[in-house]
Amino acid sequence: WRGTLIAWANDKGVKVVDIQTHQKVAHIPLSSQCDDDFGLARRCRLEWASDDVLLIVSGSTIVVAEVRQKFGGPVGVRFARVAHCFRFHEALVCGVTLFDER
């Protein structure tokens, strides 16, 4: 949960919804990007890096999703896109968090 955005994961992927506008912001499928190479049940971890950046960890993959304002349409409508996808071929990623140098 971050601001007016709620994100959750299920077997089909990650969903992001804006509770203020009641709009679906994104469905990010994980099955093709984040196949389980380790024979373990895939558990998705979500971490908001900022108000508009969601970090998604599943299996051996870290996905960085950016939430953006949709221009040219109704005011307040947002969408999300996958900005980066990092795949670790010989490692299982168990979580992700922010690192603060302070």
Side-chain angles (χ1 to χ4, degrees):
W1 190 305
R2 185 74 175 233
T4 63
L5 298 174
I6 294 179
W8 72 93
N10 61 23
D11 291 341
K12 305 228 186 255
V14 174
K15 309 236 190 308
V16 181
V17 171
D18 187 329
I19 61 168
Q20 186 175 22
T21 63
H22 304 287
Q23 295 284 326
K24 176 179 135 181
V25 175
H27 167 74
I28 301 168
L30 297 177
S31 59
S32 63
Q33 299 174 23
C34 307
D35 293 332
D36 186 3
D37 296 334
F38 297 92
L40 303 170
R42 182 179 20 170
R43 292 193 177 195
C44 192
R45 308 279 191 236
L46 306 174
E47 175 79 24
W48 287 99
S50 67
D51 289 344
D52 58 356
V53 176
L54 178 64
L55 305 176
I56 304 164
V57 173
S58 184
S60 60
T61 305
I62 299 174
V63 175
V64 179
E66 295 178 336
V67 177
R68 298 286 179 226
Q69 195 76 16
K70 191 177 270 190
F71 296 105
V75 176
V77 175
R78 298 192 273 183
F79 68 97
R81 69 177 188 90
V82 174
H84 305 284
C85 187
F86 304 98
R87 174 92 181 197
F88 300 92
H89 294 285
E90 296 182 16
L92 177 65
V93 182
C94 295
V96 66
T97 192
L98 300 177
F99 178 74
D100 187 359
E101 293 183 15
R102 289 183 264 157

